[in-house]
Amino acid sequence: MDRVGNARRHAGSRLFALATAGLLALASCSHDGLGNAGTLDVNLKDFELTLSAPSVPAGTITLVAANAGPSVHEFEIFLVGEGVDPAALPVDSGVAITDGLAPVEEVEDIAPGTSQKLALDLAPGTYAVICNLPEHYANGMHATFTVG
Amino acid sequence: MLPTFVIGLREGIEASLIVGIIAAFLAQRGDRRAMRWMWAGVAAAVTLCLGVAVVLRIVNDGLPHAQQEGLATILALLAVGGITYMIVWMKRHSRELKRSLEAGARDALEAGAWAMVGMAFFAVIREGLETAVFLLATFSNSTNPVATGLGAVLGVAVAVGLGVAIYRGGVRLNLSRFFRLTGFVLVLVAAGLLASAAHTANEAGWLTALQRPAINLSWLVSPGSVRASLLTGTLGLQPVPTWAEVLAWVAYAVPMGLYVLWPQRRPAPELPEPHPTAVAPAG
């Protein structure tokens, strides 16, 4: 009976170790993956949007968006088309008109004092980051970066 | 704390409104069994959403943005379909329901009740995942997790409280007024959902026309305010809706609103036999 009890205990702890290792592997998978360790910080506040770097390597990057507040912000990433100046978009009813920009990603509802992280796989090109809540673009919440 | 309170309130009320209405409806019918299933379904949906949100956080990944928005569009369209079914069903059966409740018979209406149990579960799933992901983010990625997290939890709690209030109020109304009122509210909710489907369809890349701002409602729906969160959460009103969103809203709200508010045709009252002396004698 003791032998059966011991075997069961070992099986249980082995399973636990496997599960933990599995979860850790999953968690680390999404960060660097294949060695492309590009990161980009997006800093949001009233009313400024700044990036930590003007360009990032092609491939998977980790983007960290932090909002220093005091308002709630969001941001959208667009691929910039030919002949479009993302810093001079027309504004209608307080929001920028994004014709000529192809939407890539969006994160909404970033509360002040919080940050959000996401992994992106970007092809080479020029990208624009905009907070398009009413009046925010016109007050300067936009930036561009290049990939590759 | 207010910013996360406002977001939690908005996210929470989108589901608690529907659940409150369905719970009131089932209570009016006296259908205890369906109600128990509904609460079980809601609890299961909440647990599922929290679980999935935790997994998403660990994996730090998700569908690409366009696919996410495409999924959101499909879910919103399904919800519009479900709510439309509810509205039509309630309109068709209100008189019949009243009579059958008074007569004590309930079997013929079983299918409708179970559809609504399903709708409550589905509504919580749809809104709950977004809410759960947001709640987790406020606790884990914050410079002041207590304040931001507490604000978010309070927002959701107030939303649940409003759902309970809707349930209590709905139960107290007389049946025909309850049907009229909830039918009207559901029309507005579904119109808002259709408008937000137009919004997410654009973000999914499916709808590229009619994207100019149609009207500036940011004076009414000023981002970050409690009023905005209530208006957006219940009616789907956006600060600066596009033409596509406005047209979707009107295209649903006008015909369905007329349908709900149109008085039911009463059976023609029996006309009395014409009096014999009314017939003028010839000559």
Side-chain angles (χ1 to χ4, degrees), chain B residues 35-258:
Chain B
M35 271 196 85
R36 271 199 296 271
W37 275 102
M38 194 203 76
W39 292 126
V42 166
V46 168
T47 313
L48 193 64
C49 288
L50 282 173
V52 173
V54 168
V55 169
L56 283 179
R57 174 130 296 242
I58 293 175
V59 175
N60 193 26
D61 206 353
L63 289 170
H65 180 63
Q67 269 90 312
Q68 260 180 353
E69 299 299 315
L71 182 64
T73 307
I74 293 172
L75 290 178
L77 289 174
L78 288 175
V80 171
I83 295 178
T84 308
Y85 169 81
M86 264 177 82
I87 295 170
V88 172
W89 192 94
M90 284 203 289
K91 175 104 181 175
R92 282 233 187 100
H93 287 99
S94 58
R95 214 181 304 141
E96 188 183 314
L97 177 62
K98 193 169 176 211
R99 240 182 289 133
S100 76
L101 275 181
E102 286 159 3
R106 257 180 250 139
D107 307 322
L109 306 168
E110 272 300 309
W114 288 109
M116 297 201 189
V117 169
M119 279 227 33
F121 174 80
F122 184 57
V124 176
I125 288 274
R126 187 169 43 87
E127 305 298 342
L129 185 57
E130 217 180 309
T131 313
V133 168
F134 164 71
L135 280 176
L136 284 184
T138 57
F139 277 110
S140 57
N141 288 343
S142 173
T143 53
N144 190 352
V146 172
T148 52
L150 193 62
V153 169
L154 276 178
V156 174
V158 169
V160 171
L162 285 174
V164 170
I166 288 166
Y167 162 69
R168 292 245 175 89
V171 169
R172 266 200 281 272
L173 289 174
N174 80 56
L175 203 58
S176 44
R177 196 170 296 162
F178 172 73
F179 276 149
R180 262 280 179 91
L181 187 62
T182 54
F184 185 65
V185 168
L186 287 175
V187 167
L188 295 178
V189 168
L193 274 173
L194 196 61
S196 77
H199 178 71
T200 53
N202 170 251
E203 307 209 323
W206 294 347
L207 179 66
T208 50
L210 300 170
Q211 290 306 310
R212 291 298 155 118
I215 183 170
N216 191 343
L217 292 176
S218 51
W219 55 272
L220 177 66
V221 190
S222 86
S225 65
V226 174
R227 184 177 60 191
S229 73
L230 289 173
L231 287 174
T232 308
T234 56
L235 304 177
L237 288 179
Q238 297 287 338
V240 186
T242 61
W243 278 111
E245 291 164 35
V246 169
L247 288 173
W249 198 94
V250 169
Y252 188 90
V254 170
M256 286 305 290
L258 285 173

Side-chain angles (χ1 to χ4, degrees), chain A residues 60-120:
Chain A
T60 309
I61 60 163
T62 305
L63 193 145
V64 179
N67 182 5
S71 306
V72 171
H73 289 294
E74 61 178 37
F75 70 91
E76 291 185 73
I77 302 179
F78 298 91
L79 179 62
V80 181
E82 284 288 313
V84 178
D85 182 4
L89 297 173
V91 172
D92 186 352
S93 302
V95 299
I97 306 300
T98 54
D99 299 345
L101 299 176
V104 170
E105 184 62 78
E106 178 179 7
V107 179
E108 299 178 331
D109 291 329
I110 308 175
T114 65
S115 66
Q116 295 207 28
K117 199 192 303 195
L118 47 105
L120 286 175

Side-chain angles (χ1 to χ4, degrees), chain A residues 3-91:
Chain A
R3 250 181 287 140
V4 171
N6 273 339
R8 219 173 276 147
R9 247 205 319 272
H10 284 171
S13 56
R14 210 174 293 150
L15 193 60
F16 181 76
L18 265 176
T20 314
L23 276 177
L24 282 174
L26 269 178
S28 58
C29 243
S30 54
H31 292 310
D32 294 318
L34 302 163
N36 260 327
T39 56
L40 185 68
D41 293 334
V42 179
N43 294 308
L44 305 154
K45 67 177 194 191
D46 294 22
F47 289 97
E48 202 176 74
L49 195 161
T50 51
L51 304 174
S52 61
S55 71
V56 288
T60 309
I61 60 163
T62 305
L63 193 145
V64 179
N67 182 5
S71 306
V72 171
H73 289 294
E74 61 178 37
F75 70 91
E76 291 185 73
I77 302 179
F78 298 91
L79 179 62
V80 181
E82 284 288 313
V84 178
D85 182 4
L89 297 173
V91 172

